[in-house]
Amino acid sequence: MNATTNFLNIRIILLKAMCLLLLIACGGSSTEDPDAVTVAPPETPVEDQEFDPYDGLHKNMTIDIAGVNREYHLWLPDDTYNAPVVFIFHGHNNDYNGIIGLDEMGNPQPVNTFPYKTWLEVAHRENIILVVPNGFNDGNNKGWNDCRGDSVGNSEQDDVAFVSQLIDHLVSEYQAAPRRIFATGTSNGGHMSIRLGQELTDKVAAFAAVSAANPVNTECTELTKPISALFMNGTDDPILPYQGGQMIENRGEVYSTEATVAYWVARNQLSNQPVETNLPDSFTDDASTVTKVQYSDSASDTEVVLFQVNGGGHASPSPTQRFGTPYVPHVLGEQNGDIEMAEEVWQFFQDKELTDNLATKVYQIYEKTFYAENSYNNPYLDVDLWVMLTGPGVEYRVPAFWDGGNTFRVRLVATHPGAWFWSTESVTGDAGLDNKSGSFVATEWNEQEKLDNPNRRGFLKVSNRVLEYADGTPFFMTVDTKSTLLTDIFRWDSGNIQPGLAGVSFQDAVIQRKSLGFNTFQVISSFPSDRFDELWQQVTWSKKHAEDGSWPFKFLAADPSDGFEHPDFSRINPNYWQQLDRKFQFITEQGMIFNLEVLRRSEQQFLEAGPEVAAAFIRYLWARYGGYNMVFSWMHIDASMTPASSEHVQLVHDYIELLTNIYDRLGNMPFGNPKTIMVPWGTTTSGPLYDLALDQIAPNFIDLNSYSNTERKGGSVPAMRNIFQASPLPVINLEPYWPTPHAFFSQHDFLTMEQQAQFLMYASVLNGGAVMGHTWGDGFFTGIISETTRLADNLEAYQITTMGHLKRFMQDEGHDFSVLMPTPENLDYSMSSQSSLGGESEFHSLATTPQKDIALGFIAATFDSVDLINMQPSTTYSLEWFDIQSGEWLAQIQVDSDDNGRLEMPAVPNNELRGWAFRLSQY
């Protein structure tokens, strides 16, 4: 036996003896392995802390992996949505308690000798989900099944499957960021991190191996996909030989640290000319220094970093968590104090995500994150970052958005299958933002996947008056007005929480409406002035915030004139919008879309902020949510509930002036989402008083016409037709008659609220909205009308199911609704005592093709049929009645027109008080 071997054996004996004598949690076994390194005697008392680092730690969690119960601790931030995940793996013969400073019973130990305990502080500060898995005891001490095929005592469990399934669970249960999963650990835990870097590169974005190196006799499947890697090794490590060779106690043969780094540099196709930096020797009580070696010029957007701890041993560097003697230096070697291991590793992880060569799908958001290096007083306004996205035959200029701190994100969407390339522009003067680039590959969805989620057919567009997906599939909007859906009133169900004011969670409300045939939600993005504006019912005042109580903007100091803290539209609050992300994602995954209204007209400070600040907010909405399928509505400018005053008319015109100014600045949305606006009466010249004529004063400002807010009793029917005839754009009634708990809106006294709603539903569609759709609204906790009745108790009130039947009627394959146009002139009103053309009394509606070979019609409740005139002469038609209550077609009957094209319509099928729709088809 040579002197070196003898000296190492002495170290091993000493390590085992110390673990036994001091009862320190190396693993609790009498056969302690020197690969376990996170223990020490209680020499350093814990200082008073402002917070408990263990607050938020969920202990002793389990997950079943192939019939084996695997354990882990889980630290969760207050908001887990899109939070990064860091796995920390303990060393051989240690466990998930010891690595973070807990004793065998899971109680905190009163010492600062655990470098990985610092991860809890980092997780608190950076909003990280921290996972501390427990190695499995196969009888050879607790550890990990890493790549070392010749390591005595390695576990034989499938630890890669353990981690992989745990990642899936975290993403599904807590909405963790799926592209920002990281792994780190020391010794055996470092080797386990290397294994994940080899075999789980479809889920792990980067790894950091401390006191670990590539094994010579590997059992791993070595993939070629690039992945960022960090190594932190001591040059005088007595357990892991820095120059390579056999680890002590038959723990396997490893390559040198230099060879290990060279492997990962080649794997990532990096330049072999690194940047070397000698870090300050700030901790003078050790006998070591640190040299940082960085390789980071890769087209694959990865980097490899080595922290070479000169004179360092097997103890993780930390100036605050110090191993005591005799561990340092006699057993583990020197512990460096110039750097904090956890802080350096997180700094390495924080800008990493899954590399770009992963394939994505068309019309699926592909998010990139950037980290500014400069400091800004107001990053929201001070940084104007855009990304050029180039794909097969197309190019898009996409705005990025500030997401708090020094973080900026861009959400890219591939609109065609193939290779896509992105790059930032060199305009910000920030090295962390400018001159970044990358690529990815997009593949097409198959037809079944498109049937499962029609959003996979592409962004909506207007084509010859028709709203359709990018692949040409028509889209008939069935809209549910839920203005407050994005707020805490419809609280996101994250498990074991009480619903918000609506009495039903966001997810349940969406799924229920989808089951009734709705495909669109009309929402307002936020309510910045809700704390004092007293908008709508009192029970909702100051409740229209996000789930954590955050508001969309910061607040100004109290205004002396009214005592209110008004929203500061120049300072956005990313916390609010981060909580909305999951709601947009959920809606999209359900195959539904938003009609997203920027704000309501009552946000006077937005109007007064001026075009630059107002444009910044709209740009922010486009940047954050423009990658989702939506109709974008410039503003919710509803009519006042009293006859329009000159002040209200001026307010409307002031908004239009501001918004058209913003359009001149910004142009169209990056991916061409269709645009509309809610204004009183309508968007063309049809409205008295307002006379907006948006189709003339601001060409391309809107892609969809609308009517809303007024003439809810029936006058909106001829108004819809006037808009259809005045403009080539499709039109929809965005706010027709609403049935409400208190009969809030006027209606015909011979119709029930349900009948009135159904009359406006079919009449609006057949008099102009046939090519676009219709909007439903009621008073159940849109937050507007009902003060006492929850939506949860009235999910199917007012025969709301008839909206789904409307879509079925219009989209039936027996006709093409996109070519229909309103033709009330083909109705013989002379046969009806009440129904007539114009005003509020059009209780019969008809839309036909130009050739009159197809006709769709509606007859309101309490009315009978009227004859049709000027149809095709001497023609046999098939007549099919449609039951608007059940959504079923009745059996066909034949009817004939006379020589003049007059067609005698039979009576409605029965005398029940309901409306009836019908279809005529030429034989």
Side-chain angles (χ1 to χ4, degrees), residues 359-363 414 416-418 441-445:
T360 186
K361 292 285 191 178
V362 295
Y363 300 110
H416 299 82
V441 175
T443 57
E444 184 63 272
W445 300 97

Side-chain angles (χ1 to χ4, degrees), residues 353-367:
E353 58 183 27
L354 285 177
T355 51
D356 285 348
N357 66 342
L358 281 181
T360 186
K361 292 285 191 178
V362 295
Y363 300 110
Q364 189 173 54
I365 286 181
Y366 181 85
E367 183 174 292

Side-chain angles (χ1 to χ4, degrees), residues 469-628:
Y469 293 103
D471 70 354
T473 302
F475 180 79
F476 183 83
M477 294 177 70
T478 44
V479 187
D480 184 28
T481 303
K482 286 287 176 284
S483 299
T484 58
L485 185 66
L486 299 178
T487 73
D488 185 54
I489 289 176
F490 288 88
R491 185 171 298 157
W492 178 269
D493 183 4
S494 55
N496 300 319
I497 64 169
Q498 294 296 318
L501 283 174
V504 61
S505 72
F506 171 86
Q507 295 99 311
D508 288 344
V510 170
I511 291 171
Q512 190 269 348
R513 285 317 201 227
K514 177 183 176 180
S515 72
L516 297 179
F518 287 92
N519 57 23
T520 307
F521 284 101
Q522 183 163 278
V523 301
I524 298 175
S525 79
S526 58
F527 300 85
S529 301
D530 188 53
R531 295 200 307 176
F532 61 85
D533 194 40
E534 300 182 355
L535 178 64
W536 301 329
Q537 288 301 307
Q538 183 174 353
V539 71
T540 71
W541 294 353
S542 297
K543 299 295 194 302
K544 304 180 192 74
H545 48 64
E547 279 78 354
D548 69 346
S550 61
W551 295 92
F553 294 91
K554 304 296 184 180
F555 291 95
L556 297 165
D559 188 333
S561 66
D562 57 20
F564 294 131
E565 295 178 344
H566 293 277
D568 183 353
F569 281 95
S570 70
R571 292 189 176 273
I572 208 160
N573 180 10
N575 290 346
Y576 174 89
W577 304 99
Q578 289 163 3
Q579 293 172 76
L580 268 58
D581 287 346
R582 58 192 175 189
K583 293 186 173 182
F584 274 85
Q585 182 67 26
F586 188 82
I587 287 283
T588 300
E589 290 172 350
Q590 295 300 313
M592 306 177 76
I593 73 162
F594 284 102
N595 177 24
L596 178 65
E597 298 176 315
V598 173
L599 294 168
R600 187 178 179 267
R601 62 173 166 86
S602 52
E603 299 293 344
Q604 186 70 24
Q605 283 72 33
F606 176 78
L607 189 61
E608 296 172 355
E612 181 177 352
V613 171
F617 177 46
I618 289 178
R619 177 200 181 280
Y620 190 88
L621 293 177
W622 289 6
R624 189 153 203 139
Y625 304 118
Y628 294 103

Side-chain angles (χ1 to χ4, degrees), residues 275-280 290-294:
V275 176
E276 294 191 19
T277 307
N278 293 319
L279 301 183
V290 179
T291 300
K292 182 178 180 181
V293 186
Q294 185 175 16

Side-chain angles (χ1 to χ4, degrees), residues 309-563:
V309 185
N310 306 304
H314 205 70
S316 300
S318 173
T320 60
Q321 300 285 333
R322 304 295 295 167
F323 288 87
T325 58
Y327 288 90
V328 174
H330 303 298
V331 178
L332 301 176
E334 190 67 57
Q335 183 186 19
N336 179 270
D338 299 323
I339 60 174
E340 186 72 70
M341 174 269 298
E343 296 287 357
E344 296 293 345
V345 172
W346 172 244
Q347 185 176 355
F348 174 75
F349 282 161
Q350 69 174 349
D351 64 347
K352 304 297 187 299
E353 58 183 27
L354 285 177
T355 51
D356 285 348
N357 66 342
L358 281 181
T360 186
K361 292 285 191 178
V362 295
Y363 300 110
Q364 189 173 54
I365 286 181
Y366 181 85
E367 183 174 292
K368 290 297 300 179
T369 304
F370 309 101
Y371 297 91
E373 295 184 6
N374 298 346
S375 297
Y376 300 96
N377 176 53
N378 185 359
Y380 171 57
L381 292 184
D382 294 346
V383 178
D384 190 28
L385 178 64
W386 294 75
V387 174
M388 294 303 300
L389 177 64
T390 305
V394 293
E395 185 174 70
Y396 302 103
R397 186 169 183 258
V398 186
F401 61 92
W402 176 59
D403 206 24
N406 67 336
T407 302
F408 291 80
R409 306 186 194 279
V410 67
R411 291 175 174 169
L412 308 174
V413 178
T415 55
H416 299 82
W420 289 79
F421 304 88
W422 61 267
S423 63
T424 61
E425 301 174 338
S426 303
V427 296
T428 69
D430 192 311
L433 306 178
D434 288 349
N435 301 312
K436 305 297 181 181
S437 63
S439 63
F440 59 94
V441 175
T443 57
E444 184 63 272
W445 300 97
N446 62 42
E447 190 58 33
Q448 183 57 53
E449 291 170 328
K450 294 177 183 178
L451 291 173
D452 293 340
N453 185 345
N455 282 322
R456 295 165 179 167
R457 299 188 179 279
F459 289 116
L460 295 176
K461 62 178 181 178
V462 176
S463 178
N464 297 323
R465 285 190 185 263
V466 179
L467 199 59
E468 61 185 24
Y469 293 103
D471 70 354
T473 302
F475 180 79
F476 183 83
M477 294 177 70
T478 44
V479 187
D480 184 28
T481 303
K482 286 287 176 284
S483 299
T484 58
L485 185 66
L486 299 178
T487 73
D488 185 54
I489 289 176
F490 288 88
R491 185 171 298 157
W492 178 269
D493 183 4
S494 55
N496 300 319
I497 64 169
Q498 294 296 318
L501 283 174
V504 61
S505 72
F506 171 86
Q507 295 99 311
D508 288 344
V510 170
I511 291 171
Q512 190 269 348
R513 285 317 201 227
K514 177 183 176 180
S515 72
L516 297 179
F518 287 92
N519 57 23
T520 307
F521 284 101
Q522 183 163 278
V523 301
I524 298 175
S525 79
S526 58
F527 300 85
S529 301
D530 188 53
R531 295 200 307 176
F532 61 85
D533 194 40
E534 300 182 355
L535 178 64
W536 301 329
Q537 288 301 307
Q538 183 174 353
V539 71
T540 71
W541 294 353
S542 297
K543 299 295 194 302
K544 304 180 192 74
H545 48 64
E547 279 78 354
D548 69 346
S550 61
W551 295 92
F553 294 91
K554 304 296 184 180
F555 291 95
L556 297 165
D559 188 333
S561 66
D562 57 20

Side-chain angles (χ1 to χ4, degrees), residues 691-870:
D691 194 25
L692 297 175
L694 293 179
D695 55 331
Q696 299 177 27
I697 65 174
N700 303 317
F701 173 68
I702 58 171
D703 307 296
L704 309 170
N705 279 313
S706 72
Y707 183 90
S708 66
N709 294 130
T710 48
E711 301 291 345
R712 299 174 192 260
K713 193 173 181 180
S716 58
V717 175
M720 285 284 293
R721 189 166 60 247
N722 290 340
I723 295 175
F724 181 88
Q725 294 169 347
S727 170
L729 302 179
V731 58
I732 188 171
N733 194 337
L734 288 178
E735 196 169 301
Y737 173 84
W738 286 9
T740 70
H742 311 303
F744 193 80
F745 297 111
S746 63
Q747 65 188 69
H748 292 282
D749 55 11
F750 50 85
L751 297 176
T752 66
M753 285 191 291
E754 292 84 357
Q755 293 167 350
Q756 176 77 24
Q758 292 160 5
F759 154 52
L760 266 296
M761 186 186 303
Y762 280 83
S764 293
V765 166
L766 295 177
N767 281 278
V771 294
M772 188 164 170
H774 189 66
T775 307
W776 174 271
D778 56 50
F780 293 126
F781 269 105
T782 54
I784 298 175
I785 298 165
S786 172
E787 185 172 335
T788 59
T789 311
R790 303 183 313 159
L791 176 68
D793 304 321
N794 297 274
L795 288 171
E796 297 188 16
Y798 304 120
Q799 300 175 9
I800 190 175
T801 55
T802 55
M803 270 292 288
H805 302 334
L806 171 68
K807 182 170 69 172
R808 181 179 179 185
F809 172 69
M810 296 303 301
Q811 287 192 308
D812 189 85
E813 60 185 18
H815 59 263
D816 179 3
F817 72 89
S818 68
V819 298
L820 297 174
M821 60 182 63
T823 53
E825 64 272 14
N826 291 108
L827 292 165
D828 186 359
Y829 282 109
S830 64
M831 298 180 61
S832 172
S833 60
Q834 287 181 284
S835 187
S836 61
L837 183 62
E840 297 180 340
S841 303
E842 294 194 16
F843 299 108
H844 296 77
S845 298
L846 188 72
T848 69
T849 62
Q851 299 81 17
K852 302 295 190 294
D853 57 338
I854 297 288
L856 298 183
F858 178 75
I859 304 167
T862 75
F863 289 88
D864 207 339
S865 303
V866 297
D867 290 348
L868 306 187
I869 55 177
N870 299 320

